[in-house]
Amino acid sequence: MSELLIDTAGELLALPRTGRRAVVMTMGALHEGHATLVRTARELAGPEGQVVVTVFVNPLQFGAGEDLDRYPRTLDEDLRIAGAAGADAVFAPSVEEVYPGGDPQVRISAGPMGERLEGATRPGHFDGMLTVVAKLLHLTRPDLALFGQKDAQQLALIRRMVIDLNFPVEVVGVPTVREEDGLALSSRNRYLSPAERQTALALSRALFAGQDRLAAQAALRARAEAAPASDERATALARLGEIRASADAHAVSAAGGGLPDAVRAAARHVLEEAGRHEPPLVLDYLALVDPKDFTEAGPDFTGQAVLAVAAKVGTTRLIDNIPLEFGAHS
């Protein structure tokens, strides 16, 4: 389409379809992270396909005391960003359009996974999120739906819903977009003062510290395996000049926790330091979880995991995560 279509009344089904349709669901206040989703959608849909961006601040996923009223609403700028990134249409319905009878009596339950981490902190949040995602999937009828990996638990739940309820759509996760200093892009970053922003950088630094510990430990174990079989691993590492790493290996072994606990400990150290900053970081949770169900990774965990963190800085609550791969011999 040559001109961006603005739809507020659910007329998207009338659009002629000559290729695949991809949808990017947002709550507005678009930034470069959203633009990356739209550009990826454009690439996947192809020149003959359609890219639809939805802009809807969903009241069902805001709990008591959360920031529904002050959540930024910047539709004119959203339209500019969506169009520049390659969207063909923006669906920006009113609350009355999405929920014509008021709050829906029937909602989708997120189940046990929706009660963990973000769900424990924000009861009912994921039920509201899944309910509106289901409605928007019905209204936009996409072949592809793209979501950011920054909201890892949300992405996992949407994937589960699509499988469990047989939605005919492919869910695509797009890597987190970060600012130059490492802070994950979020519409809520605009609430941070300069001092609060400096403290908030601890979230990404903690995640990268955990990632570094995983990589370092994997390299050390590889070195130890290459050492003479008659030597104990710690001795072999020490002979290779890795005195500090050898001490780390002993500490982890003595704690009985294994590598996942070492990764958690490295990240937690950064967060505890930030808790002494001014203003302080107030940790909500740090978790290393299996992305299939968001249960904690055990000491012998192998496969892909998600290291996730949530914290408040001032009055602003932020989340972040990174994927990690634990090999059989990590």
Side-chain angles (χ1 to χ4, degrees):
M1 300 177 68
S2 59
E3 185 175 343
L4 185 68
L5 173 67
I6 315 305
D7 182 8
T8 61
E11 299 171 348
L12 287 168
L13 294 183
L15 286 174
R17 298 185 66 159
T18 57
R20 295 202 297 176
R21 178 180 289 171
V23 66
V24 174
M25 297 184 189
T26 82
M27 293 208 300
L30 301 191
H31 50 62
E32 179 57 27
H34 298 109
T36 298
L37 286 169
V38 177
R39 286 193 291 268
T40 304
R42 179 78 275 159
E43 180 179 345
L44 295 176
E48 299 301 318
Q50 297 171 345
V51 174
V52 176
V53 175
T54 69
V55 175
F56 179 66
V57 181
N58 178 32
L60 295 191
Q61 63 195 73
F62 287 80
E66 293 189 335
D67 56 357
L68 173 61
D69 290 338
R70 73 165 184 153
Y71 196 87
R73 291 162 172 83
T74 57
L75 184 58
D76 288 344
E77 180 66 5
D78 295 342
L79 297 176
R80 185 192 68 77
I81 292 173
D88 296 304
V90 171
F91 180 37
S94 65
V95 173
E96 292 73 24
E97 178 71 31
V98 177
Y99 304 120
D103 284 356
Q105 298 298 301
V106 176
R107 307 187 188 196
I108 291 178
S109 170
M113 187 177 10
E115 298 172 356
R116 298 173 185 136
L117 299 187
E118 285 297 292
T121 301
R122 307 175 68 189
H125 166 72
F126 286 125
D127 292 355
M129 178 276 294
L130 290 178
T131 297
V132 80
V133 168
K135 288 177 72 73
L136 290 172
L137 287 175
H138 286 312
L139 289 167
T140 59
R141 303 278 183 93
D143 301 291
L144 306 166
L146 289 82
F147 299 90
Q149 291 178 357
K150 185 178 81 70
D151 296 294
Q153 193 172 2
Q154 169 180 284
L155 175 59
L157 281 162
I158 292 170
R159 283 181 165 147
R160 190 74 253 173
M161 177 184 73
V162 163
I163 292 170
D164 289 350
L165 300 185
N166 299 102
F167 279 82
V169 64
E170 178 186 349
V171 177
V172 179
V174 178
T176 300
V177 178
R178 299 183 180 278
E179 301 194 35
E180 289 186 4
D181 56 11
L183 188 67
L185 284 176
S186 170
S187 301
R188 291 186 169 94
N189 289 352
R190 67 186 68 195
Y191 299 149
L192 298 169
S193 70
E196 288 171 343
R197 183 186 172 87
Q198 286 301 308
T199 296
L201 294 177
L203 273 75
S204 57
R205 288 172 181 164
L207 298 177
F208 295 140
Q211 182 181 59
D212 289 346
R213 172 57 63 89
L214 175 62
Q217 199 69 18
L220 291 168
R221 291 191 179 189
R223 289 191 189 184
E225 288 171 359
S230 59
D231 284 346
E232 293 184 2
R233 178 166 295 177
T235 303
L237 290 172
R239 288 180 177 179
L240 288 167
E242 304 288 355
I243 303 298
R244 179 176 179 181
S246 177
D248 284 348
H250 276 303
V252 171
S253 177
L259 185 51
D261 275 357
V263 169
R264 291 184 186 96
R268 188 172 293 278
H269 175 73
V270 176
L271 297 169
E272 289 175 348
E273 286 289 324
R276 294 187 283 272
H277 291 176
E278 184 55 47
L281 180 142
V282 180
L283 182 64
D284 186 348
Y285 62 75
L286 171 71
L288 181 66
V289 298
D290 185 333
K292 293 191 296 295
D293 57 10
F294 270 66
T295 56
E296 285 284 347
D300 299 320
F301 182 86
T302 59
Q304 189 173 84
V306 172
L307 183 61
V309 62
K312 265 192 172 183
V313 182
T315 61
T316 304
R317 187 174 183 275
L318 301 171
I319 62 172
D320 200 354
N321 71 84
I322 55 171
L324 297 175
E325 186 74 29
F326 288 77
H329 302 289
S330 292

